Amino acid sequence: MVVRSRVRMTGRSVVNLLCFGNRAVSLLYGNSLRSLHTSICNSSSQPRAGFKPEKVAVVTKTTRYEFEQQRYRYAGLSEEDLKQLLAMKGSSYSGLLERHNIHTNNVEHIVKSLRKEGIEVRVVKRGEYDEEVVRWADAIISAGGDGTMLLVASKVLSKDKPVVGVNTDPERSEGHLCLPVRYTRAFPEALEKLCRGEFRWLWRQRIRLHLEGTGINPTPVDLHEQQLSLEQHNQAHRITTMDTQRSTTPPPVMWTGTLNESFSKPSLLPIRSLNEIFIGESLSSRVKLKSFKPHVNLLLHRASYYEISVDDGPWEKQKSSGLSICTGTGSKAWSYNINKLAEQAVEEVLRIGKSQTGLNIPLSRDFIEKVTDEYNESLVFSPDDRRLFYSVREPIVNRVFSSSRQRGFASKVCVRSRCWDACMVVDGGTSFEFNDGAIATVSMSEEDQLRTVLLEN
């Protein structure tokens, strides 16, 4: 017991000294930081009565098998041709077909269970999912994985419309945002619990986006549909050897009317982000470097150039690999992987701390793992938390550009683009142009909460 106590005391000293763990995060983000590990049950509410919708829309994902079929449909490939093509790419046709059938069978199971309860059901493919479907349904079931759940949630603007995720391929899909995996096969049991009120509502906070400035194009691009288009895909990613890239001097802005008319007023985008938004150059590899040979260009890294203001603070010029802004729901996703520490890094810092201070800091594998886990777990916060968490990816710091805080909590983040080919991506599925002169205001509102269900496993 004495040894264990000494290790714990030493551990606290190391955490304080080297800025690991919850207290370290408080130092980084200010005194306003609340405990990140808020119990989900505390953020949810027990329904007063059972919930049984009259009309349910079941939105199904596009399986990899369907994706490959759609991708090469223009070429008129037969199933045998598709088999050979997949084999050339190292993919298994039979494996993809098997996963497709598993998903399809689970969707049928969900639909039959709903109709057995007298509920009107409308099955919608993700490409057919739109605002009309949202208006029609009393509740929406996402039949797929987390990606499908994010798509479904993005178009639900009312906090009174429940969204339930069902993982239709639990062996291959994580499904953090879905019901516990056992309800995939036992979906009638989940329905019974809903009808009896044996569940909790979880109100997940979401991000809203206002766009303003010059050159605004509020028309979104569906990245899934763009991925299906081989022509667009190739144009977006090809590396050309011809000197046809855009000149570093921007073309003159053309408009009719006055200068004031070319500057748009703040416009609220008709989409909400459940996980995160990302702002940065569309292709970080697209930048022209002077060639040593005629008509040859090399394409290397292009940093994202923008200005950022946190909570109406001063504007700061930054260059980085992009900016991520997440919710509590998204703190377990990309944001977590951007900011987490590896045990190797923690061990190296602890060794430096030990040599610099002369303290008897333990360097055992168990202790290093404990410190690493404590820090990484502190990056996760509750889905109902009303704060944003921003992360600057790989900031460039020199006499021109700065990054006073690489990450932190905020109520509002404003970003002014200085990029030439940038985008603002919502939950990895929807993209908006975000080029020089565009300004995005990222915030939260109570009316944007997403109504989801918590069921005991």
Side-chain angles (χ1 to χ4, degrees):
M1 294 297 292
V2 174
V3 174
R4 178 175 292 182
S5 175
R6 288 183 61 186
V7 170
R8 285 177 178 169
M9 290 180 64
T10 306
R12 292 192 185 98
S13 300
V14 174
V15 169
N16 293 337
L17 174 66
L18 302 176
C19 293
F20 288 119
N22 290 329
R23 184 176 177 185
V25 178
S26 297
L27 293 174
L28 286 172
Y29 308 140
N31 295 328
S32 62
L33 175 62
R34 298 177 298 176
S35 174
L36 298 183
H37 279 282
T38 306
S39 170
I40 288 181
C41 291
N42 292 337
S43 68
S44 57
S45 58
Q46 187 75 30
R48 297 179 180 177
F51 173 70
K52 185 176 180 180
E54 294 182 0
K55 297 183 292 185
V56 171
V58 178
V59 182
T60 68
K61 72 174 184 179
T62 300
T63 65
R64 172 73 187 284
Y65 172 77
E66 291 174 316
F67 175 84
E68 295 291 353
Q69 279 191 323
Q70 295 173 30
R71 189 181 183 194
Y72 297 106
R73 180 176 297 165
Y74 77 97
L77 295 183
S78 65
E79 285 294 296
E80 190 60 37
D81 293 333
L82 183 59
K83 286 182 183 180
Q84 295 180 11
L85 185 60
L86 290 172
M88 291 172 62
K89 296 195 299 181
S91 299
S92 169
Y93 172 87
S94 60
L96 295 183
L97 184 59
E98 179 185 4
R99 306 319 304 180
H100 169 77
N101 290 336
I102 289 173
H103 161 76
T104 302
N105 291 337
N106 284 327
V107 170
E108 291 177 358
H109 177 57
I110 293 169
V111 172
K112 288 180 180 178
S113 301
L114 290 167
R115 287 174 175 162
K116 188 175 181 180
E117 293 294 327
I119 299 172
E120 185 179 353
V121 181
R122 186 171 167 184
V123 181
V124 180
K125 299 295 293 184
R126 66 171 289 156
E128 303 166 348
Y129 178 61
D130 56 19
E131 290 74 13
E132 188 276 325
V133 175
V134 175
R135 288 192 297 268
W136 175 85
D138 299 321
I140 304 175
I141 291 179
S142 163
D146 287 338
T148 310
M149 181 68 173
L150 292 172
L151 168 74
V152 169
S154 69
K155 297 183 186 298
V156 178
L157 304 185
S158 170
K159 67 177 184 179
D160 297 323
K161 187 155 298 187
V163 177
V164 181
V166 181
N167 191 344
T168 54
D169 191 3
E171 294 181 7
R172 295 295 180 92
S173 178
E174 192 65 39
H176 284 298
L177 303 177
C178 301
L179 297 178
V181 294
R182 80 177 192 87
Y183 290 114
T184 299
R185 296 186 181 277
F187 189 72
E189 182 183 342
L191 276 180
E192 290 178 7
K193 288 188 174 184
L194 288 173
C195 292
R196 293 197 300 261
E198 297 176 3
F199 67 96
R200 293 182 181 273
W201 293 119
L202 174 58
W203 305 89
R204 296 179 182 269
Q205 296 290 341
R206 294 191 292 175
I207 293 173
R208 59 167 43 193
L209 298 162
H210 284 87
L211 268 183
E212 61 182 301
T214 60
I216 296 298
N217 181 6
T219 304
V221 174
D222 187 325
L223 296 182
H224 180 267
E225 293 300 321
Q226 189 180 54
Q227 191 177 19
L228 283 174
S229 171
L230 283 179
E231 183 179 357
Q232 289 179 337
H233 180 85
N234 292 336
Q235 287 180 354
H237 292 83
R238 69 169 182 253
I239 298 179
T240 179
T241 57
M242 299 302 295
D243 190 11
T244 57
Q245 298 299 310
R246 175 168 41 195
S247 169
T248 55
T249 303
V253 178
M254 303 297 293
W255 74 84
T256 58
T258 65
L259 179 63
N260 290 335
E261 289 175 345
S262 70
F263 189 95
S264 67
K265 296 179 180 179
S267 174
L268 178 62
L269 298 181
I271 191 171
R272 302 294 180 267
S273 172
L274 181 56
N275 260 9
E276 79 279 309
I277 68 160
F278 175 77
I279 295 174
E281 287 286 355
S282 300
L283 293 173
S284 62
S285 62
R286 281 181 62 184
V287 62
K288 185 172 68 174
L289 189 68
K290 287 185 178 180
S291 171
F292 295 100
K293 296 181 180 181
H295 311 298
V296 177
N297 291 317
L298 299 178
L299 302 184
L300 301 178
H301 175 72
R302 169 188 277 171
S304 300
Y305 176 22
Y306 55 88
E307 298 172 36
I308 182 172
S309 169
V310 177
D311 289 333
D312 295 318
W315 289 91
E316 182 178 74
K317 290 182 179 180
Q318 290 187 350
K319 268 192 176 183
S320 70
S321 294
L323 177 68
S324 167
I325 305 173
C326 80
T327 64
T329 299
S331 67
K332 290 184 176 181
W334 193 9
S335 173
Y336 178 83
N337 288 287
I338 290 173
N339 294 292
K340 72 177 181 180
L341 290 176
E343 289 185 10
Q344 179 182 356
V346 173
E347 181 179 2
E348 291 171 359
V349 174
L350 289 175
R351 288 188 185 279
I352 294 173
K354 184 174 183 178
S355 65
Q356 293 292 319
T357 63
L359 294 175
N360 185 25
I361 300 174
L363 297 174
S364 66
R365 181 53 52 195
D366 289 344
F367 182 72
I368 292 170
E369 182 179 345
K370 180 180 178 181
V371 174
T372 304
D373 290 344
E374 184 173 347
Y375 175 81
N376 290 340
E377 288 171 6
S378 72
L379 299 170
V380 179
F381 56 107
S382 176
D384 77 318
D385 199 309
R386 298 175 185 176
R387 297 170 300 166
L388 306 163
F389 185 76
Y390 67 90
S391 305
V392 180
R393 296 183 62 202
E394 301 163 338
I396 297 173
V397 179
N398 52 35
R399 64 182 180 84
V400 178
F401 300 100
S402 60
S403 180
S404 57
R405 296 175 69 188
Q406 190 170 343
R407 64 183 70 87
F409 286 98
S411 297
K412 182 173 74 171
V413 177
C414 295
V415 184
R416 179 187 288 120
S417 175
R418 296 303 182 201
C419 301
W420 293 111
D421 189 18
C423 58
M424 181 169 60
V425 181
V426 179
D427 286 338
T430 305
S431 176
F432 296 87
E433 287 184 16
F434 192 66
N435 292 324
D436 189 31
I439 301 173
T441 300
V442 185
S443 61
M444 285 182 172
S445 172
E446 285 296 307
E447 62 189 74
D448 294 332
Q449 295 178 98
L450 185 69
R451 191 178 190 182
T452 60
V453 167
L454 278 180
L455 283 180
E456 296 295 334
N457 196 349

